Amino acid sequence: MTAPDCSNFPHQDLVSLADWTAEDIQRVFSVACALKADREGFNTLLSGKRLALIFEKDSLRTRMTFDLGIQQLGGSAVYLDHRHERLGARESVPDMAHNLERWVDIIVARTYRHRHVAELADHASVPVINGLSDLLHPCQALADLLTLHEKWDGQLAGKKLVYIGDGNNTCHSLLHAAPKLGMHMTVCTPEGYEPNFKVMESARDAARAMGVSLEHTSSPQEAATGAHAIYTDVWASMGQEDETEERAAVFIDYQVDEDLMSYTDDAFFMHCLPAHRGQEVTAGVLDGPSSIVFDIAENRLHAQKAVMALLLLGQSAAPATTPELAEVNA
Ligand code: CP
Ligand code: NVA
């Protein structure tokens, strides 16, 4: 199989999807689908490339899929466990960036503070990927939307995506991407847990430009009506463990259960995982026929392989295909 074209990609980093266009996101889908179709077939695409994985928080999916992903493309990964030492504590984030850029070709960072992953990207000369911050989770949104793209044969436009629960990092990255792809989106949160104002504003601009709706409501039944996909995430994110009990009381009416799913238009159920059965979702829904959570988890691998390939190879121009060259090559 011919390697997917990763040339001429306009980004060096993936810190946020706010500045990625629909075309950039579609490019990720097309490279991911090509890599997925022949998952062992491109084992020299990123030959010799070295990845640093810096994690301040726990991870199963993000760590595994980046590590396996770079290996499948011919590269290797080094894991830096920062769970017991915040970035910037031992040395400044810019100094860390200037060290790492001398040894590795690409960096993934999972940080508490969004500004730390942004600062790494600002100072490192090599690509930096946000593997989740307190504000955003862009790799998750790419895998989520890639999964819907597959389920609906590329027809995302006009579908209604509903996010129910905490207006958190996962919700923010979906807001950055789904309206641009022509999806209607409704966010449903209790009062006080709405998404970040700036993220909502940018999603509103994208929705306006695409002629689709972007709504916020505090009624789960109203939100779920006519939905084609229902998404939820944990009520207390990593770093908010102290608020777990208080949040469980606030979010009690926001559980995705069978009754709520009955308001939808035969919707898929989505969750970034890890999930808590009996809290944000019932076991019946999470383990039921409409759930696509493990398809999404699998697609973390394919979407991130595509992102790494586009960021690492995207600064090159596409191979020349002038008639003269074609003649010489014939
Ligand atoms: N969904 C997700 O990012 O999972 P991990 O926290 O296990 O990486
Ligand atoms: N919102 C969750 C996502 C985990 C993948 C968190 O930040 O903990």
Side-chain angles (χ1 to χ4, degrees):
M1 237 186 220
T2 341
D5 176 16
C6 296
S7 59
N8 293 324
F9 193 66
H11 301 279
Q12 149 133 353
D13 305 296
L14 173 54
V15 173
S16 163
L17 289 169
D19 58 344
W20 283 38
T21 63
E23 197 187 8
D24 301 332
I25 297 169
Q26 296 284 0
R27 195 100 189 265
V28 173
F29 295 167
S30 106
V31 173
C33 290
L35 297 177
K36 184 173 180 177
D38 187 5
R39 59 187 76 187
E40 305 301 331
F42 300 106
N43 55 12
T44 57
L45 192 67
L46 298 183
S47 204
K49 300 289 186 194
R50 292 183 179 85
L51 164 71
L53 291 161
I54 310 172
F55 279 60
E56 288 189 329
K57 304 177 185 178
D58 290 338
S59 171
L60 172 66
R61 283 148 289 272
T62 309
R63 179 180 171 180
M64 279 294 289
T65 50
F66 271 111
D67 195 340
L68 290 174
I70 193 93
Q71 288 183 49
Q72 288 176 8
L73 297 175
S76 59
V78 177
Y79 177 70
L80 283 141
D81 187 352
H82 264 268
R83 285 174 306 158
H84 306 293
E85 186 191 296
R86 298 280 172 105
L87 290 196
R90 186 157 172 264
E91 64 187 312
S92 74
V93 174
D95 279 357
M96 191 175 194
H98 293 311
N99 278 268
L100 288 169
E101 71 191 10
R102 300 294 179 106
W103 306 316
V104 300
D105 304 284
I106 186 162
I107 299 167
V108 173
R110 170 168 283 198
T111 60
Y112 280 97
R113 294 195 179 144
H114 182 73
R115 97 175 148 73
H116 280 164
V117 64
E119 213 177 346
L120 267 181
D122 283 347
H123 292 273
S125 58
V126 297
V128 172
I129 298 173
N130 179 356
L132 178 148
S133 64
D134 55 358
L135 185 67
L136 300 174
H137 199 359
C139 297
Q140 183 65 50
L142 289 175
D144 295 331
L145 295 167
L146 169 65
T147 309
L148 292 177
H149 169 90
E150 289 177 334
K151 299 282 176 199
W152 292 328
D153 293 326
Q155 301 302 309
L156 295 183
K159 296 285 200 303
K160 178 179 174 184
L161 171 65
V162 174
Y163 179 95
I164 297 185
D166 184 25
N168 63 14
N169 43 11
T170 301
C171 173
H172 292 158
S173 287
L174 285 170
L175 280 165
H176 276 156
K180 275 179 202 157
L181 299 175
M183 297 185 78
H184 301 285
M185 189 163 170
T186 299
V187 178
C188 174
T189 70
E191 212 186 303
Y193 295 86
E194 296 86 358
N196 174 284
F197 179 76
K198 275 193 178 164
V199 174
M200 266 313 253
E201 278 300 291
S202 94
R204 206 160 271 132
D205 289 346
R208 208 172 291 126
M210 292 302 292
V212 293
S213 62
L214 175 69
E215 283 163 16
H216 177 268
T217 170
S218 52
S219 158
Q221 288 76 16
E222 185 189 319
T225 302
H228 300 106
I230 294 273
Y231 203 117
T232 193
D233 185 11
V234 292
W235 293 336
S237 284
M238 290 181 277
Q240 298 171 333
E241 288 79 4
D242 293 354
E243 299 172 32
T244 303
E245 260 181 50
E246 177 194 329
R247 283 170 172 262
V250 173
F251 283 94
I252 189 129
D253 295 329
Y254 291 78
Q255 182 185 67
V256 179
D257 60 12
E258 289 81 344
D259 178 58
L260 192 64
M261 290 300 285
S262 74
Y263 286 81
T264 72
D265 185 358
D266 212 9
F268 287 123
F269 172 73
M270 307 173 73
H271 193 305
C272 57
L273 303 178
H276 302 96
R277 290 171 178 79
Q279 293 182 36
E280 72 272 9
V281 58
T282 58
V285 171
L286 186 76
D287 302 316
S290 56
S291 175
I292 55 170
V293 297
F294 299 115
D295 296 323
I296 297 171
E298 180 189 336
N299 277 341
R300 294 294 304 276
L301 175 71
H302 309 299
Q304 290 159 197
K305 282 168 77 174
V307 168
M308 289 190 287
L310 285 163
L311 298 182
L312 282 166
L313 307 174
Q315 309 305 313
S316 60
T321 51
T322 58
E324 294 79 11
L325 270 180
E327 240 166 66
V328 171
N329 291 335

